[in-house]
Amino acid sequence: MTARATLPYGSWPSPISAADVARARLRLSFPTVAGDDVWWQETRPEEGGRTTVVHLRGGHRTDLLQAPWDARTRVHEYGGRSYLPVRTEQGWSLVFSNYEDQRLHRLDEGDPKPYPLTPEPAVQAGLRYADLVPSPDGTEVWCVCEGHIAAPPEGEEGVAGIRRAIVAVPLDGSASENAGAIRELVTGAHFYASPRPSPSGGHLAWVQWNHPRMPWDGTELRVAAIEDGKTVAPRTVKGGLTESVVAPLWRDDESLYVISDWPGWWNIYQVGLHGESPQALYPAEEEFTSPLWQLGGMPYALLGDGRLAVLHGEGDMRLGIYDPETLDLIDLEVPYEHWQSQLSADGTTIVGIGGGPDVPPSVVRIDTTTGRVEGLRRELPELPDVAYLSNPRAEVLEGPFGRPVHAYVFPPTNPEAVAPEGELPPYVVFVHGGPTGRVSKVLDLERAYFTSRGIGVIDVNYGGSAGYGRAYRERLRRQWGVVDVEDAVAAAQALVDGGIADPARLAIRGGSAGGWTTLAAITQTDVFKAATSYYGVSELQSFVGATHDFESQYLFGLIGPLPGFERAYEERSPLNNADRTACPVLLLQGLNDPVVPPDQSERFAVALAAKKMPYAYLTFEGEAHGFRKADTVIACLEAELAFYGQTLGFDPRGVTPIDLTVG
C-alpha cells in the first residue's frame, strides 16, 4: 500500500474535478410506470440544462425529445413534473410543456415531431401548465394553468396580473388555434395543485390555497362532483388556514387518501365524501411527504392489491409498504437510504428516485412480489473511488436555549493524503435554500469536491427545515435571519468546541434562501472568515416587490406582514448591515433570475466596495434561479475553491487564483 503524503488541509490532490461535479448535475425526476414502460425527466447540464423525457421499454432507453425541445414548466417558477404519458389507440403518446413557449405539445409514438395542444402566447399574455393528469374519458388532459398578463404599453388600458385555474385541454389539438376550446374546471383560488379525478370519473379532488400562506402553512383539500364535464357543489373535506394537506390519492369512488400535518407531522389520512371523520392510517412522529415546492410529485402510490407504497421518516425518508387491512408498515430492504417524494406504482411495481451516501440519486424499479430491485439510471454514471467519499455523520447539535439543530458532518477524506500533526481542517457550513427545504446524506459530488481536498463540510438542517415536523419547520416563523443564523453559527461552534475544525478557517456558503442566511451570518457575527452566496437575497423590501408571485408574500410568515413590519425588514437585511461584514465574500448570480433578481447581489457588491472588504462578483448570462449549465457549474466551483484558498490560507491544486476587489 502506497504511503500517504503529508500535506496541509485544502491542498490534497483529488480525482474529483469541477467538471465531474457538473456532469453529476444531471437531474432525474418524476418517474412514471405503466406495465413494462417507465418514463422520467432528465435535465442535462452538458446540453445547457435542457430537460428531455426518457422512455424505457424492454431494457431499451429512448430520448423522446431531441433538442431544442425542452420539457420544463414555469408554473410557480419552480415548475415540477412537465410531462404525461397518455394511452392512445396507436400506443403511448407524450404530452409535455415546452420551456421556450410554455405551450403543451403532444408527441405520438412513431412521429418525428411534436405538435401543439395549446395556443401561442399572446404579445401581452402567456399560459403555463403543470400537474397533468388524463381526463376520465381519455380525450383531455386536466392540469393547473397559470395565466400571466403583462402590463400594457403606456397609454393603453389593462391591468397586469396572474390568474390560475384547473383546466381541461383537448388532446386532439383543437385548442392550439382556439383558446376557447380550453375549459375551466375550477377557479377562484390563488394557487392549485394535484387535480385528481375519481376512478369512475364522478368527482374531482384537488388542493388549493391563497396568499399569504405557502402550501406548507395552510391548504384545503376540495372535492366536487363532475356533471356534463363541469364541476359542481365543491366543498372542503380536509385542511384549513393552519393545516397543510397535500397529495390526494383516490382509494375508491367514495373515499381518498391525503397527507395532512394536522397532528404536527405530515401523516396519511383516509377521508370520505359523506361527512365521515378523517381516519389517521399510521399516526407517527414522522413525515410522509416533503414541502410542495414543485407540482406533480406523489410521495406515495397505490399498488394493485390495495396496499400503499409510502415514504416516511425523520430527516431522510425510507421506502415501505403500508397495508390498510393489517395496519402494518414494513420497510423494504433496498440499498437506497433516502428517497425523493416522487413515487409511481402499477400493479406490483414501484418506481422512484432513491440514493444513499455512496449511491447517487437513481431511478429505481422494484417488484414487490419477487423483491427484485433495479437501478435504471443514475445521476452519476461512474462513481469516484469510494475511498474519496466522506462517510457522513448525522448529528443533533445544541443551539441557543437548548433547542436541537440537525446536521450532517462530512469530514475531510482522502486515501492519498494526511494532514500535518496538530493541524485542524478548514470547514464550510453548507446552508440549504428554501428556507423550507432540507438536505440529506445522499451522495452529492459537490460536497466531495471539497472534502476530498481536505476541506470539511457540515450541512445544516436549521430550524425551519422540513423533515422534522411542523414545530421544527415553524421555528422560523417571523424569525428568518435570526434562527437560521443562530443554528448555522451553532453548527460551526460545535465543530470548534469538539476540536474538529480550525476556528480561524470557518466558511459559510448557501444558495437562494441559503445565500440570505450566509449574508446575514457575516453581517451579524464574526465567526466566519469567508462566505459564498449563490443568488442570495440581501435586501428584503425590494425583494418583496420584485420576486415572483408564488413567493411574493412568503416573507409575511418569515418576517411579518407588510405594512407593519418595515422595521424588521430593514434591521435584518444584510444590505443594510453591510458595513458590519466580517469577512471576504464571493457573490455568484444568474442574470436571468426571476426569483432573486440580480440587483440583490449587485447592490451588496457595491456596499462591500464602499466598506473596502475584499469580494468577487461573478455573473452568468442565460442562468436563472439554480445554475443548470455545465460551464457555469465549473466556473463557480473553481472560483469558490480558489476563494477559500486565498481567504483561509491554503494552496488548492489545479485552480486559478481569483481576483478579489477591494474598494
Side-chain angles (χ1 to χ4, degrees):
M1 182 176 178
T2 304
R4 299 169 74 183
T6 300
L7 296 168
Y9 285 115
S11 65
W12 295 354
S14 172
I16 302 171
S17 68
D20 293 330
V21 179
R23 282 190 289 272
R25 288 287 183 94
L26 175 79
R27 288 293 177 262
L28 307 173
S29 58
F30 300 103
T32 303
V33 61
D36 294 330
D37 295 271
V38 180
W39 299 261
W40 62 84
Q41 290 176 201
E42 194 162 302
T43 301
R44 298 171 175 170
E46 72 275 12
E47 296 184 31
R50 185 181 77 90
T51 298
T52 186
V53 178
V54 177
H55 180 208
L56 180 73
R57 175 185 290 169
H60 181 67
R61 200 166 63 207
T62 304
D63 287 2
L64 296 182
L65 302 175
Q66 305 302 318
W69 297 103
D70 188 353
R72 290 169 57 196
T73 171
R74 288 188 60 187
V75 171
H76 298 177
E77 295 300 349
Y78 290 105
R81 178 188 167 112
S82 60
Y83 77 97
L84 176 71
V86 293
R87 174 76 77 177
T88 65
E89 294 180 359
Q90 292 74 35
W92 286 103
S93 293
L94 184 79
V95 177
F96 68 97
S97 170
N98 185 50
Y99 179 70
E100 183 179 2
D101 55 15
Q102 288 297 292
R103 300 171 78 183
L104 289 183
H105 291 73
R106 172 175 167 174
L107 177 66
D108 292 330
E109 197 165 350
D111 284 0
K113 185 179 178 181
Y115 59 90
L117 297 182
T118 56
E120 289 188 38
V123 175
Q124 294 177 330
L127 301 176
R128 305 172 181 181
Y129 307 88
D131 224 342
L132 317 175
V133 294
S135 66
D137 64 4
T139 64
E140 298 172 318
V141 168
W142 291 2
C143 59
V144 175
C145 178
E146 181 179 272
H148 289 247
I149 303 172
E154 188 174 350
E156 295 186 16
E157 294 184 357
V159 179
I162 296 174
R163 181 176 179 273
R164 297 178 184 86
I166 296 174
V167 302
V169 178
L171 280 170
D172 61 8
S174 58
S176 64
E177 302 293 337
N178 175 22
I182 299 175
R183 297 184 301 112
E184 289 192 344
L185 299 172
V186 181
T187 63
H190 289 148
F191 300 98
Y192 294 99
S194 308
R196 300 289 184 265
S198 61
S200 66
H203 290 87
L204 176 67
W206 69 91
V207 171
Q208 68 180 46
W209 67 98
N210 290 300
H211 280 312
R213 284 170 292 281
M214 300 299 286
W216 42 87
D217 295 329
T219 60
E220 297 174 76
L221 171 63
R222 303 271 283 175
V223 175
I226 300 174
E227 297 179 3
D228 299 324
K230 299 179 180 179
T231 55
V232 298
R235 62 194 186 280
T236 298
V237 296
K238 193 87 173 79
L241 298 181
T242 58
E243 178 185 358
S244 171
V245 293
V246 293
L249 174 67
W250 287 94
R251 176 179 180 267
D252 51 40
D253 280 324
E254 300 300 320
S255 63
L256 62 159
Y257 300 121
V258 69
I259 297 178
S260 165
D261 73 350
W262 176 79
W265 297 78
W266 271 312
N267 285 185
I268 303 176
Y269 285 77
Q270 182 177 320
V271 179
L273 299 186
H274 306 294
E276 303 92 337
S277 297
Q279 176 184 350
L281 298 192
Y282 192 85
E285 290 190 349
E286 295 184 330
E287 303 280 45
F288 283 73
T289 190
S290 299
L292 189 64
W293 279 102
Q294 292 188 309
L295 298 180
M298 286 293 286
Y300 59 160
L302 190 64
L303 296 168
D305 60 5
R307 295 182 300 164
L308 291 169
V310 303
L311 301 177
H312 69 110
E314 183 181 14
D316 286 357
M317 301 192 78
R318 307 182 301 279
L319 175 62
I321 302 294
Y322 175 75
D323 189 332
E325 298 298 324
T326 65
L327 310 182
D328 291 328
L329 173 55
I330 300 174
D331 289 338
L332 296 179
E333 296 293 332
V334 293
Y336 302 90
E337 297 181 28
H338 174 70
W339 295 77
Q340 299 176 17
S341 293
Q342 301 172 8
L343 289 183
S344 175
D346 186 35
T348 63
T349 302
I350 305 168
V351 295
I353 307 289
D358 56 0
V359 181
S362 309
V363 178
V364 182
R365 177 166 56 188
I366 299 170
D367 188 317
T368 58
T369 300
T370 65
R372 184 184 182 190
V373 180
E374 299 175 86
L376 304 180
R377 176 75 157 146
R378 302 196 304 187
E379 290 189 354
L380 185 61
E382 294 184 10
L383 288 179
D385 186 334
V386 293
Y388 290 92
L389 300 179
S390 182
N391 186 26
R393 190 172 69 247
E395 297 280 359
V396 182
L397 311 171
E398 184 174 329
F401 312 108
R403 66 181 182 232
V405 179
H406 296 273
Y408 295 106
V409 179
F410 298 82
T413 303
N414 189 308
E416 297 182 63
V418 63
E421 187 175 353
E423 182 184 356
L424 289 174
Y427 258 81
V428 183
V429 175
F430 276 37
V431 187
H432 66 70
T436 311
R438 73 161 172 226
V439 292
S440 76
K441 58 179 179 285
V442 171
L443 174 61
D444 180 350
L445 217 56
E446 188 167 325
R447 288 186 297 230
Y449 178 77
F450 294 106
T451 58
S452 63
R453 287 168 167 77
I455 306 165
V457 168
I458 182 167
D459 221 336
V460 186
N461 278 320
Y462 50 86
S465 302
Y468 305 96
R470 183 164 186 136
Y472 193 85
R473 201 167 69 239
E474 291 201 334
R475 188 186 291 176
L476 210 58
R477 182 166 292 278
R478 297 197 178 177
Q479 293 295 306
W480 194 39
V482 178
V483 165
D484 49 325
V485 171
E486 291 174 345
D487 289 358
V489 169
Q493 193 61 50
L495 296 175
V496 172
D497 294 345
I500 297 169
D502 184 346
R505 295 195 291 174
L506 294 173
I508 184 169
R509 60 101 80 167
S512 189
W516 151 272
T517 302
T518 294
L519 298 178
I522 62 172
T523 54
Q524 294 179 27
T525 77
D526 59 1
V527 171
F528 301 104
K529 311 308 176 186
T532 302
S533 169
Y534 283 78
Y535 35 87
V537 178
S538 70
E539 199 282 317
L540 293 175
Q541 287 182 283
S542 62
F543 172 74
V544 169
T547 194
H548 61 132
D549 184 59
F550 177 63
E551 292 185 88
S552 62
Q553 297 184 31
Y554 190 10
L555 296 191
F556 289 13
L558 293 173
I559 305 290
L562 291 175
F565 279 74
E566 288 84 355
R567 184 172 178 180
Y569 281 66
E570 293 170 4
E571 290 177 346
R572 293 192 206 166
S573 292
L575 183 63
N576 296 335
N577 300 307
D579 61 333
R580 303 207 302 261
T581 303
C583 63
V585 183
L586 173 62
L587 300 165
L588 305 164
Q589 179 70 49
L591 294 179
N592 300 92
D593 193 334
V595 178
V596 179
D599 77 297
Q600 291 284 324
S601 292
E602 291 168 7
R603 293 163 68 194
F604 199 79
V606 171
L608 290 172
K611 178 180 169 60
K612 300 191 181 304
M613 175 61 72
Y615 75 94
Y617 176 40
L618 307 182
T619 61
F620 301 92
E621 190 68 50
E623 289 284 12
H625 198 66
F627 297 155
R628 304 171 68 91
K629 299 178 181 179
D631 289 347
T632 304
V633 174
I634 293 169
C636 289
L637 274 178
E638 291 184 346
E640 190 176 355
L641 179 60
F643 172 67
Y644 294 147
Q646 289 167 240
T647 54
L648 302 182
F650 56 83
D651 186 17
R653 299 177 179 228
V655 292
T656 303
I658 189 170
D659 292 329
L660 296 179
T661 301
V662 182

